Amino acid sequence: MEHIAVTGDNPAPRGDTFGETGLPRTWYPARSRLLTRVVGLVILAGLTVLAVALPEEGGWNLGSRAGIVVTGVLGLCFMLVLGRPKVVATRDGVTVVNLLRVRRLEWAEIVRVSLRQGDPWVFLDLSDGETLAAMGIQTSNGRDKAIAAASELRDLVERFGGVEPTRA
């Protein structure tokens, strides 16, 4: 199996150099985000139609129907959470938004950006020894796009890493 790592040790091809106007930069899985929103809306619409179409007899009163619609709303909310991941790079650092957790990192905290063969998304090795999944850059949009995004992030880490952010 081929091992591809997008790290400072094994760089991927470099893209354009980031100018000051290149930030903030946001990466997110566009196809996954679109799919989760569409599926969530289909769930809500389907359960709403079902609640309206159910016959009066058989115990389907207003409360039962409302419960079905609330289930549709919960299904939509669940799908929106699945489509939430993103990575935002600013001059001051990186914000990693995963399913339920948001983590703000200073540039100096990121030691390496990795995307190995078979990884579903980018991993960030941090200065405290932790590894953080950055689900906003994932291979679901295509491996080449993920490698390019990981390379961009790696370039930003190399550019801003170890530099104290300036406050305006």
Coordinates of all heavy atoms in Angstrom, one line a residue, residues 1-5 115-120 143 147:
M1 N 0.8 -1.2 0.0 CA 0.0 0.0 0.0 C 0.9 1.2 0.0 O 1.8 1.3 0.8 CB -0.9 0.0 1.2 CG -1.8 1.2 1.3 SD -3.3 0.8 2.1 CE -3.1 1.2 3.8
E2 N 0.5 2.2 -0.9 CA 1.3 3.4 -1.0 C 1.1 4.3 0.2 O 0.0 4.4 0.7 CB 0.9 4.1 -2.2 CG 1.7 5.4 -2.5 CD 1.2 6.1 -3.7 OE1 0.3 5.6 -4.4 OE2 1.7 7.2 -4.0
H3 N 2.2 4.9 0.7 CA 2.1 5.8 1.9 C 2.3 7.2 1.4 O 3.4 7.5 0.9 CB 3.2 5.4 2.9 CG 3.3 6.3 4.1 ND1 2.4 6.3 5.1 CD2 4.2 7.3 4.4 CE1 2.7 7.2 6.0 NE2 3.8 7.8 5.6
I4 N 1.3 8.0 1.5 CA 1.4 9.4 1.1 C 1.2 10.2 2.4 O 0.2 10.1 3.1 CB 0.4 9.8 0.1 CG1 0.5 9.0 -1.2 CG2 0.4 11.3 -0.2 CD1 -0.6 9.3 -2.2
A5 N 2.2 11.0 2.8 CA 2.0 11.9 3.9 C 2.2 13.3 3.5 O 3.2 13.6 2.8 CB 3.0 11.5 5.0
L115 N -1.7 13.5 6.1 CA -2.8 12.9 5.4 C -2.2 11.7 4.7 O -1.6 11.7 3.6 CB -3.5 13.8 4.3 CG -4.6 13.1 3.5 CD1 -5.8 12.7 4.4 CD2 -5.1 14.1 2.4
R116 N -2.3 10.5 5.4 CA -1.7 9.3 4.9 C -2.7 8.5 4.0 O -3.9 8.7 4.1 CB -1.2 8.4 6.0 CG 0.0 9.1 6.8 CD 0.4 8.3 8.0 NE -0.7 8.1 9.0 CZ -0.9 9.0 10.0 NH1 -0.1 10.0 10.1 NH2 -1.9 8.8 10.8
Q117 N -2.1 7.6 3.2 CA -3.0 6.7 2.4 C -4.0 6.0 3.3 O -3.6 5.4 4.3 CB -2.1 5.7 1.6 CG -2.9 4.8 0.7 CD -3.4 5.6 -0.5 OE1 -2.8 6.5 -0.9 NE2 -4.5 5.1 -1.0
G118 N -5.2 6.1 3.0 CA -6.3 5.4 3.8 C -6.9 6.3 4.9 O -7.9 5.9 5.4
D119 N -6.3 7.4 5.2 CA -6.9 8.3 6.2 C -8.1 8.9 5.6 O -8.1 9.4 4.5 CB -5.9 9.4 6.6 CG -4.8 8.9 7.6 OD1 -4.9 7.8 8.1 OD2 -3.8 9.6 7.8
P120 N -9.2 9.0 6.4 CA -10.4 9.7 5.9 C -10.3 11.2 5.9 O -11.0 11.9 5.2 CB -11.5 9.2 6.9 CG -10.7 8.9 8.1 CD -9.4 8.4 7.7
R143 N -9.4 12.6 -3.3 CA -8.1 12.5 -2.7 C -7.2 13.7 -3.1 O -6.5 14.3 -2.3 CB -7.4 11.2 -3.1 CG -6.1 11.0 -2.4 CD -6.2 9.8 -1.4 NE -4.9 9.8 -0.8 CZ -4.7 10.0 0.5 NH1 -5.8 10.2 1.3 NH2 -3.6 9.9 1.1
I147 N -5.4 16.4 -0.6 CA -4.0 16.5 -0.6 C -3.6 18.0 -0.8 O -2.7 18.6 -0.1 CB -3.3 15.6 -1.6 CG1 -3.4 14.2 -1.2 CG2 -1.8 16.0 -1.8 CD1 -2.9 13.2 -2.2

